[in-house]
Amino acid sequence: MKTNPKSEIRNPKSIVVAPSLLSADFRNLEEQIRFVEKGGADWLHLDIMDGHFVPNITFGPMLVKTVRSISQLPLDTHLMVEKPERFIEAFKQAGSDILTVHIETCPHLHRTIQQIKSLGMKAGVSLNPSTPTHSLDEIIEDVDLILVMTVNPGFGGQKFIPSMLKKVEEIRSMMTSAEQFLEVDGGVDVTIVAELMKAGANVLVAGKAIFSQKDITRAVKILKNITSKNT
Ligand code: DX5
Ligand code: ZN
């Protein structure tokens, strides 16, 4: 049965922490989700990979539906797939709240964004590390969320690319609405959070930094604490 997200997806005063389930122990998925909920996770980040756009395959709407049945947190769905427009409806049905497509995969990005919004989901656009910020020029006002990849997409546990800090800053300066989210994804851990926030990020995805810890709840709490200290 589909449950409604308990928290409204509005641009918050506080920073959003979104654990990436890619690094979770799937043998105990429900327990792992409870751990991050207990730590104060704001969203759950779900990485959909197709083995074409990125060199890895993960999961699809079926697992999103399972996660929806476990948690009421907003589901932040990151599509690393070619021709993502084929799957918009399926992810809506599965219970996604936010659907982010990669700019590199969308020749008709404006149409794709409108399709996502017309189904009542928040629409995001993501940029690979090598994709220039100016590629957002014509679309930035239409999206709810911009996701800056701070590693090359495809795998969890990679090293943060430091030059992406400047990119985050540039994109923040291009953003016009305070209601838009600026999300960073890849290699995010406690050592970089303050700088990311200073650059203007307000949604932090973290996989390894959370799920590789013995105490997952504590790992989320620590991240949340750092964000509240820096706001
Ligand atoms: C990478 C994914 C990320 C990944 C982040 O392509 O988009 O969401 O799970 O994991 P960490 O935080 O381990 O880099
Ligand atoms: Zn992701």
Side-chain angles (χ1 to χ4, degrees):
M1 198 184 64
K2 197 180 165 223
T3 50
N4 289 321
K6 68 179 171 201
S7 41
E8 216 186 318
I9 304 167
R10 293 194 53 239
N11 209 343
K13 299 275 175 288
S14 60
I15 303 295
V16 170
V17 171
S20 168
L21 294 184
L22 189 63
S23 296
D25 177 357
F26 277 72
R27 289 172 304 180
N28 303 303
L29 188 59
E30 181 163 4
E31 186 187 45
Q32 301 262 296
I33 290 172
R34 295 289 170 248
F35 286 156
V36 296
E37 284 179 340
K38 228 175 126 196
D42 301 283
W43 298 353
L44 296 175
H45 185 84
L46 294 140
D47 288 304
I48 316 298
M49 304 186 188
D50 68 349
H52 289 277
F53 176 58
V54 289
N56 195 8
I57 299 176
T58 56
F59 46 80
M62 228 176 81
L63 190 97
V64 175
K65 197 174 168 192
T66 303
V67 173
R68 173 80 296 158
S69 73
I70 296 171
S71 179
Q72 293 190 313
L73 289 181
L75 301 185
D76 174 30
T77 314
H78 178 191
L79 296 188
M80 287 158 276
V81 304
E82 284 178 5
K83 297 189 173 60
E85 61 280 359
R86 294 172 295 169
F87 304 110
I88 295 172
E89 178 76 42
F91 282 104
K92 170 68 187 174
Q93 290 305 324
S96 292
D97 300 288
I98 304 159
L99 208 56
T100 295
V101 295
H102 266 261
I103 200 164
E104 302 85 3
T105 63
C106 291
H108 304 290
L109 183 59
H110 185 270
R111 179 185 293 150
T112 306
I113 294 297
Q114 299 312 321
Q115 283 172 351
I116 296 171
K117 286 180 163 181
S118 71
L119 291 176
M121 293 180 283
K122 298 282 184 198
V125 66
S126 180
L127 277 73
N128 280 342
S130 65
T131 302
T133 53
H134 70 74
S135 57
L136 288 170
D137 283 350
E138 311 302 330
I139 199 74
I140 196 153
E141 287 181 11
D142 294 297
V143 295
D144 300 301
L145 177 150
I146 296 144
L147 191 168
V148 179
M149 285 307 307
T150 45
V151 299
N152 288 293
F155 303 94
Q158 300 182 79
K159 216 169 149 321
F160 182 87
I161 302 171
S163 58
M164 292 301 106
L165 275 171
K166 195 167 153 270
K167 192 176 189 181
V168 172
E169 218 172 283
E170 273 173 28
I171 294 175
R172 174 51 80 188
S173 72
M174 291 163 70
M175 289 165 73
T176 49
S177 163
E179 289 303 306
Q180 289 174 310
F181 294 100
L182 182 50
E183 181 172 33
V184 285
D185 183 9
V188 174
D189 65 16
V190 290
T191 64
I192 196 76
V193 167
E195 281 178 273
L196 282 168
M197 286 174 61
K198 204 168 145 226
N202 62 357
V203 182
L204 308 173
V205 176
K208 187 182 170 200
I210 291 173
F211 290 103
S212 71
Q213 303 299 318
K214 256 208 179 106
D215 189 337
I216 291 168
T217 300
R218 187 164 170 267
V220 179
K221 277 187 186 159
I222 289 172
L223 273 176
K224 287 292 294 179
N225 277 341
I226 299 174
T227 62
S228 61
K229 272 187 199 132
N230 284 281
T231 28

